[in-house]
Amino acid sequence: LRSDFTDCSEHWIDNNVHFCIEPMIVGTEWLIEAVGCDAEALRDEAVIRSIFDSVMSDLGLRSVGSVWHKFPGEGGVTGMIALTESHLACHTYPEYGTATFNLYCCRTRPEWDWEGFLKSAVGAETVSVTKIDRGESPLLSSSIKYVAAGGEA
């Protein structure tokens, strides 16, 4: 008989049946910020595209289209690739030595070495990565899992 329901986001008992709502993760989003980068690398669309190519190759992501824009003069690069799994985007700010990336995947993916790669590719001094599991709302009807004595009902 299961007595520990601490992994449930919400649970209740009705007629001696324990009901448990477990969150349904619909995707994972990574927010990446690279600071102290080489300004010239941040202006170079080919460098940013090569970062995208490495992420996509290493994680097995597939493109369904892309948009790129190189701002004139000393400006940076904005790129976005729509993926069958969701999207990958980047904005660079050479005047601040900063690049921001966003990767959203609706299927589970391994962690990627953003820090090591961005330190090498654009000379980043500091890289921060924030990972967010999306869709944790227990209100999604398809996420309800009924658990009774002895296991799932």
Side-chain angles (χ1 to χ4, degrees):
L1 179 62
R2 182 177 172 184
S3 61
D4 177 23
F5 290 90
T6 58
D7 61 338
C8 295
S9 60
E10 185 177 334
H11 55 92
W12 68 94
I13 299 174
D14 185 15
N15 287 336
N16 290 328
V17 176
H18 197 124
F19 294 89
C20 173
I21 298 177
E22 295 180 339
M24 182 178 83
I25 305 303
V26 296
T28 304
E29 187 165 10
W30 290 269
L31 305 174
I32 302 94
E33 195 162 316
V35 179
C37 302
D38 176 68
E40 286 305 313
L42 296 181
R43 289 185 188 99
D44 189 339
E45 185 176 326
V47 169
I48 305 306
R49 283 179 179 260
S50 74
I51 294 168
F52 275 38
D53 291 343
S54 294
V55 171
M56 292 177 60
S57 174
D58 292 351
L59 297 179
L61 303 172
R62 295 176 308 270
S63 171
V64 295
S66 65
V67 176
W68 289 90
H69 179 73
K70 167 64 177 95
F71 289 90
E74 299 295 304
V77 175
T78 290
M80 190 269 193
I81 297 180
L83 305 169
T84 57
E85 300 82 0
S86 203
H87 69 265
L88 172 61
C90 176
H91 307 282
T92 69
Y93 305 89
E95 66 275 27
Y96 299 111
T98 298
T100 61
F101 294 82
N102 174 251
L103 172 62
Y104 183 88
C105 293
C106 59
R107 293 190 304 143
T108 302
R109 297 286 181 210
E111 299 297 322
W112 196 70
D113 184 16
W114 289 98
E115 182 175 11
F117 202 90
L118 293 176
K119 284 184 174 185
S120 174
V122 294
E125 293 174 7
T126 305
V127 177
S128 67
V129 178
T130 302
K131 179 181 174 183
I132 303 168
D133 287 327
R134 303 302 299 265
E136 290 188 307
S137 171
L139 301 177
L140 296 172
S141 61
S142 62
S143 70
I144 296 177
K145 183 176 184 180
Y146 299 98
V147 180
E152 295 180 22

